[in-house]
Amino acid sequence: MSVPDLDPVIHAQARLRVVATLNALCEGDQIAFPGLKDLLGMTAGNLSVHLTKLEDAGYVEITKTHKGRTPVTYVALTRRGRLAFEEYTVAIRALLGGEQ
Amino acid sequence: MDEEDLSPAEMMRLIEEQSAATARRLQPDPLLLYAPWGIAWMVGFGAFFLSYGLDGRPLAPISWQLALSILFGGQLLAGAFLFWTARSGGVQVRGESAQRGMMYGYSWFVGMMSMSLIMSHFAPLLPREQVGLLYASVSLLVVAVLYMAGGAVWREWPMFLIGVWVAVVNAVGAMLGPGWHSLLVSLLVGGGFFVTGIVLRRRG
């Protein structure tokens, strides 16, 4: 089946799960990298690769900071990312509706 | 594409499962949120009821000091339990919701401290059993208002409604006197929290 209208950045299992997880946070919230890794059950390396791709697309904002002396990385969906995810789910629903 | 293509139906299922799993991890378990306070109040105000009786004659040889220790001990345990579950299960999230939670937490602390100071001024001027009733009913008023406010902050109807419930039971009980107040609070407020925890967990 051809899916020409689906956003290629989100239309990959792993990144779709990342975006769905971040979308479940309240707007204005950021999640620490280890927590996100746990929620997704991904390796740190794998998650980093996907986050970089999402960041390049402008969908994800990554903030590096320090808590005491330990570096902490926080991740959040940007407004654009939230919108892209919304459009993606609408497109998927439309495809599902068309199938039936 | 990094992985093999999934059908739209499978993608939709993936979105739903991941969103639900995330929501479960980010929201505290309602049973652990309500039930410990329910038990603490059932037991604590139950002890006060036995020590007051309904017609001024105690139903069991429990001094008010003992009843107060049972109530405080239970609340301390419930608070420690809440703190422990919040720390151990929590995924680290910062931002607006963390600020909301922090302000709400401080509201409890400031509200209870301020109430205690005001009470300590009036306590010596009243008969002993009225002092107990005044403390109990005014602290429960603070509890009721903060639950209603919490419901407004997180748009949680159950939290708001249980605040209304506490306010009503507390006010009616206070009108009826110390014995009735502790009986009604033990059964209806303590029991209400316990049942709310179980019902919300089942629905969750």
Side-chain angles (χ1 to χ4, degrees), chain B residues 123-143:
Chain B
L125 309 171
L126 285 169
R128 217 266 311 145
E129 73 280 3
Q130 295 297 320
V131 173
L133 179 59
L134 186 67
Y135 261 104
S137 56
V138 177
S139 4
L140 280 168
L141 175 65
V142 176
V143 170

Side-chain angles (χ1 to χ4, degrees), chain B residues 49-60 129 176-180 183:
Chain B
F49 167 62
L50 294 176
S51 112
Y52 286 133
L54 284 182
D55 53 5
R57 275 174 305 177
L59 294 165
E129 73 280 3
L176 297 173
W180 278 103
L183 177 64

Side-chain angles (χ1 to χ4, degrees), chain B residues 100-163:
Chain B
R100 231 175 249 187
M102 190 189 67
M103 284 187 216
Y104 185 68
Y106 280 126
S107 307
W108 279 90
F109 180 72
V110 174
M112 287 299 174
M113 288 302 282
S114 166
M115 182 220 55
S116 302
L117 286 175
I118 295 170
M119 288 295 137
S120 66
H121 169 77
F122 287 106
L125 309 171
L126 285 169
R128 217 266 311 145
E129 73 280 3
Q130 295 297 320
V131 173
L133 179 59
L134 186 67
Y135 261 104
S137 56
V138 177
S139 4
L140 280 168
L141 175 65
V142 176
V143 170
V145 170
L146 282 170
Y147 268 87
M148 289 189 276
V153 169
W154 287 285
R155 278 222 3 231
E156 289 274 351
W157 279 102
M159 192 179 195
F160 174 77
L161 291 174
I162 205 161

Side-chain angles (χ1 to χ4, degrees), chain B:
Chain B
M1 194 83 28
D2 324 35
E3 297 111 343
E4 53 187 296
D5 253 357
L6 289 177
S7 73
E10 286 170 311
M11 288 307 237
M12 197 63 224
R13 196 166 45 85
L14 201 68
I15 292 173
E16 279 163 0
E17 280 174 5
Q18 192 62 37
S19 307
T22 308
R24 266 200 306 279
R25 277 290 296 277
L26 293 177
Q27 280 158 13
D29 183 341
L31 185 67
L32 302 182
L33 218 54
Y34 288 99
W37 297 103
I39 295 168
W41 290 334
M42 274 194 278
V43 175
F45 283 100
F48 265 108
F49 167 62
L50 294 176
S51 112
Y52 286 133
L54 284 182
D55 53 5
R57 275 174 305 177
L59 294 165
I62 298 175
S63 66
W64 69 270
Q65 290 95 331
L66 178 61
L68 191 66
S69 315
I70 293 172
L71 180 62
F72 267 49
Q75 292 188 120
L76 216 62
L77 278 177
F81 192 72
L82 184 67
F83 189 71
W84 173 75
T85 46
R87 291 217 71 155
S88 58
V91 175
Q92 215 188 328
V93 172
R94 70 167 189 179
E96 286 175 23
S97 65
Q99 287 174 17
R100 231 175 249 187
M102 190 189 67
M103 284 187 216
Y104 185 68
Y106 280 126
S107 307
W108 279 90
F109 180 72
V110 174
M112 287 299 174
M113 288 302 282
S114 166
M115 182 220 55
S116 302
L117 286 175
I118 295 170
M119 288 295 137
S120 66
H121 169 77
F122 287 106
L125 309 171
L126 285 169
R128 217 266 311 145
E129 73 280 3
Q130 295 297 320
V131 173
L133 179 59
L134 186 67
Y135 261 104
S137 56
V138 177
S139 4
L140 280 168
L141 175 65
V142 176
V143 170
V145 170
L146 282 170
Y147 268 87
M148 289 189 276
V153 169
W154 287 285
R155 278 222 3 231
E156 289 274 351
W157 279 102
M159 192 179 195
F160 174 77
L161 291 174
I162 205 161
V164 174
W165 178 242
V166 176
V168 171
V169 173
N170 184 41
V172 171
M175 306 284 286
L176 297 173
W180 278 103
H181 182 263
S182 36
L183 177 64
L184 292 179
V185 169
S186 169
L187 292 181
L188 299 180
V189 171
F193 267 68
F194 191 72
V195 170
T196 301
I198 288 174
V199 169
L200 290 180
R201 161 64 91 63
R202 286 244 173 106
R203 271 206 292 171

Side-chain angles (χ1 to χ4, degrees), chain A residues 18 21-22 31-41 47 51 75, chain B residues 91:
Chain A
V18 173
T21 303
L22 293 174
I31 186 167
F33 185 87
L36 183 60
K37 188 171 76 76
D38 285 354
L39 277 171
L40 291 162
L47 178 56
L51 285 177
V75 186
Chain B
V91 175

